[in-house]
Amino acid sequence: MQDPDGARPGKRDGLKLGCSESDRQTKRIVLIGRSGSGKSSTGNTILGKDDFKSCYGASSVTEKCQEARTFRFGQQILVIDTPGVFDTKVPNKQSLEEISKCISLSLPGPHVFLLTIYAGRFTQAENATVKHFAEVFGEDMFKHTILVFTGRDLLEEQDTSFEEYLKTIPPSLEEILGKCKKRCIVINNCLKNDSSDNDARNMMEMINKLVESHQDFCYTNEMFKAVEMKLQESKIRRQKDEEKHKEVDELKKELQHCREEFNNFKHQRHHCWNIDHLAAETVKKEMRRCEKELQQYRVENIEHQRQPVSLFPRDIDEVLLSIGFRE
């Protein structure tokens, strides 16, 4: 049997889990949100007392999952406060690991997640926060989630109604709201009077309506374990993919090295060829010079051989004639 939202059915409240009748009747609420979104203050508003330390700021006051109980509006209520995500002092991984403990604290599982968002500018950090929660608890989380916008006093100062504000939210927040079937409420945690009680009453009415629509089925530990298993499988796949990418990168580096070596070889071979070619040209020129000189020598030698051989130069005759040896 499935709930109206089509979620995989969880165990009905306390059935086969050894929970007492009191536990089965208790509405189990888990508060999640970014640091400074008014998470703990929202819990105090529901409880009607300051059981959780609260402070608006970038650092989360809540470092560990905390629980508080009360009897209010005719029913038992269990509220579990969780550490804020994107705390400036605590790594996200550590915060998310601690947040996951809220499931065991709310066995057989929470009826509802109250995702607190400050009614102002919805930033990329807030959107990343919601994605982190979806990774931890899975998409089924949204079937059990109500968006609680804190800071109604800010809207009142701007003379803006909640309906008008919702028309201005970015597409990323619209998508989240759509996953939650438009379940949302705006509250003012700064008030400690009848108005605060009304906010608490309205939140509990919305929670009761959601639980009733799910026919008392809640987000169970089995659902969470299934998500954990998927995350583990995804982590293993990621590690294998990273190893494959690393091997591919190594092969690419080796291939690049081989290409560089080959290019160096080609360059050296071309350089050697240039040297050999230059040496060959030099030898050829020298050979041509020698052949030319040899040829010239041969020509001169032939001309010399053609001339008559004279033992004496021509002016010898004149000398002999002058001294009377010749007439």
Side-chain angles (χ1 to χ4, degrees), residues 189-207:
N189 289 322
C190 297
L191 301 175
K192 298 298 178 183
N193 50 29
D194 292 340
S195 180
S196 177
D197 291 341
N198 288 334
D199 284 343
R201 184 178 289 104
N202 291 335
M203 279 191 285
M204 289 309 304
E205 287 178 358
M206 188 173 288
I207 291 170

Side-chain angles (χ1 to χ4, degrees), residues 208-323:
N208 289 330
K209 185 177 179 180
L210 175 61
V211 173
E212 185 180 347
S213 70
H214 287 169
Q215 300 176 359
D216 285 337
F217 285 106
C218 57
Y219 182 93
T220 65
N221 190 50
E222 286 77 6
M223 292 180 181
F224 179 65
K225 291 297 182 183
V227 174
E228 274 192 326
M229 188 176 294
K230 287 182 180 179
L231 287 175
Q232 187 64 25
E233 291 173 354
S234 178
K235 182 179 179 181
I236 294 173
R237 283 197 301 269
R238 247 190 337 264
Q239 288 176 345
K240 289 183 178 179
D241 290 340
E242 288 174 359
E243 290 174 0
K244 288 181 180 179
H245 286 310
K246 189 176 180 180
E247 290 178 2
V248 170
D249 289 339
E250 290 296 326
L251 289 173
K252 285 181 178 179
K253 288 180 181 178
E254 290 182 13
L255 179 60
Q256 181 64 26
H257 179 70
C258 291
R259 285 175 176 170
E260 290 174 357
E261 289 291 323
F262 180 70
N263 289 333
N264 289 335
F265 173 75
K266 285 175 64 179
H267 177 73
Q268 291 174 3
R269 183 180 176 187
H270 181 70
H271 180 66
C272 292
W273 183 87
N274 286 339
I275 294 175
D276 292 343
H277 181 71
L278 181 62
E281 288 297 319
T282 302
V283 171
K284 286 180 181 178
K285 286 181 180 179
E286 188 65 19
M287 288 177 64
R288 284 195 294 268
R289 185 184 67 77
C290 292
E291 288 176 354
K292 186 176 180 180
E293 289 182 359
L294 181 61
Q295 184 67 23
Q296 185 176 358
Y297 172 78
R298 286 174 179 171
V299 171
E300 291 177 352
N301 188 45
I302 291 172
E303 291 179 352
H304 178 72
Q305 289 178 355
R306 286 177 180 174
Q307 292 179 358
V309 179
S310 176
L311 296 176
F312 304 101
R314 286 181 298 175
D315 54 354
I316 283 294
D317 293 333
E318 295 177 358
V319 172
L320 292 175
L321 182 61
S322 65
I323 59 176

Side-chain angles (χ1 to χ4, degrees), residues 9-32:
K11 285 185 174 63
R12 196 180 295 274
D13 238 355
L15 293 181
K16 300 180 182 179
L17 290 176
C19 296
S20 65
E21 181 64 25
S22 176
D23 289 335
R24 288 198 295 270
Q25 296 300 321
T26 299
K27 293 298 183 292
R28 299 177 297 278
I29 303 167
V30 171
L31 300 166
I32 57 176

Side-chain angles (χ1 to χ4, degrees), residues 115-129:
L115 174 57
T116 56
I117 298 173
Y118 187 67
R121 182 169 171 264
F122 188 74
T123 65
Q124 292 182 353
E126 272 98 11
N127 191 40
T129 300

Side-chain angles (χ1 to χ4, degrees), residues 7-163:
R8 188 180 65 172
K11 285 185 174 63
R12 196 180 295 274
D13 238 355
L15 293 181
K16 300 180 182 179
L17 290 176
C19 296
S20 65
E21 181 64 25
S22 176
D23 289 335
R24 288 198 295 270
Q25 296 300 321
T26 299
K27 293 298 183 292
R28 299 177 297 278
I29 303 167
V30 171
L31 300 166
I32 57 176
R34 192 187 179 198
S35 298
S37 64
K39 222 172 9 67
S40 300
S41 297
T42 299
N44 290 334
T45 297
I46 294 172
L47 294 167
K49 53 184 179 178
D50 293 336
D51 279 2
F52 303 127
K53 291 182 179 181
S54 62
C55 176
Y56 281 96
S59 296
S60 177
V61 175
T62 307
E63 297 179 355
K64 301 287 185 180
C65 286
Q66 302 175 25
E67 62 174 285
R69 296 174 181 268
T70 190
F71 182 84
R72 205 174 184 202
F73 309 118
Q75 58 188 322
Q76 293 288 343
I77 301 173
L78 167 65
V79 180
I80 297 174
D81 193 14
T82 63
V85 180
F86 281 89
D87 193 320
T88 55
K89 296 181 180 179
V90 183
N92 280 340
K93 184 179 180 181
Q94 181 178 333
S95 296
L96 292 170
E97 286 176 355
E98 179 63 27
I99 290 170
S100 65
K101 296 178 182 178
C102 70
I103 304 300
S104 59
L105 291 175
S106 62
L107 289 176
H111 287 107
V112 62
F113 294 96
L114 295 186
L115 174 57
T116 56
I117 298 173
Y118 187 67
R121 182 169 171 264
F122 188 74
T123 65
Q124 292 182 353
E126 272 98 11
N127 191 40
T129 300
V130 179
K131 288 183 177 179
H132 280 304
F133 289 133
E135 289 176 1
V136 173
F137 298 112
E139 290 292 317
D140 278 348
M141 175 196 78
F142 294 109
K143 297 180 175 65
H144 301 269
T145 298
I146 295 174
L147 298 189
V148 179
F149 290 88
T150 60
R152 187 179 61 222
D153 51 320
L154 175 65
L155 298 182
E156 291 172 349
E157 288 177 5
Q158 298 174 349
D159 197 24
T160 302
S161 68
F162 185 48
E163 290 73 18

